[in-house]
Amino acid sequence: MGEHSDSDEPFFERVQAVVAQIPAGRVTTYGDIAAHLGRRGAARIVGWALKDAVGSGLPCHRVVNRDGVLTGKQHFETPHVMEERLRSEGVTFVGDDQVDLDAHRWRPDAAEPNTQDDDNSP
């Protein structure tokens, strides 16, 4: 167990598309992403998708567990990189390896779709 199947690949791509939308200075949870994609209870699979994407340029450091804990930190270059990146974006912490979710939580369902250019052309 712990492996993912090829059938998860389209889901992984959808996870990565959501993660790409998380604004700097905000965080979301594995569960928020899973629920947004219609797979409530699939937080662990979201984690697998992000493990595969660390180092790809996606802001994977902005995804935390349901308590705001940096459970994915071991997948970065060093265990401190995730926290350093979040702090550099202005994210505050309430404990060791725990972000202030009340202050910084971003929910994908509340996000405005970014499908149009901002040039206001007809």
Side-chain angles (χ1 to χ4, degrees), residues 6-94:
D6 290 339
S7 66
D8 291 326
E9 294 308 319
F11 183 73
F12 280 26
E13 291 170 11
R14 292 171 57 212
V15 166
Q16 292 169 5
V18 173
V19 172
Q21 297 175 41
I22 306 170
R26 304 294 298 275
V27 296
T28 194
T29 70
Y30 301 102
D32 287 343
I33 294 171
H36 174 71
L37 295 176
R39 290 190 56 184
R40 188 173 302 279
R44 185 168 302 221
I45 298 171
V46 170
W48 291 337
L50 295 182
K51 178 181 166 241
D52 289 349
V54 167
S56 69
L58 280 176
C60 299
H61 62 283
R62 297 180 187 147
V63 184
V64 297
N65 81 358
R66 67 180 169 212
D67 297 319
V69 176
L70 311 184
T71 53
K73 70 181 185 176
Q74 73 274 11
H75 299 292
F76 288 83
E77 298 88 345
T78 73
H80 305 288
V81 168
M82 189 175 182
E83 180 177 348
E84 290 166 359
R85 289 181 184 169
L86 290 169
R87 286 189 186 276
S88 76
E89 294 177 355
V91 174
T92 56
F93 285 69
V94 295

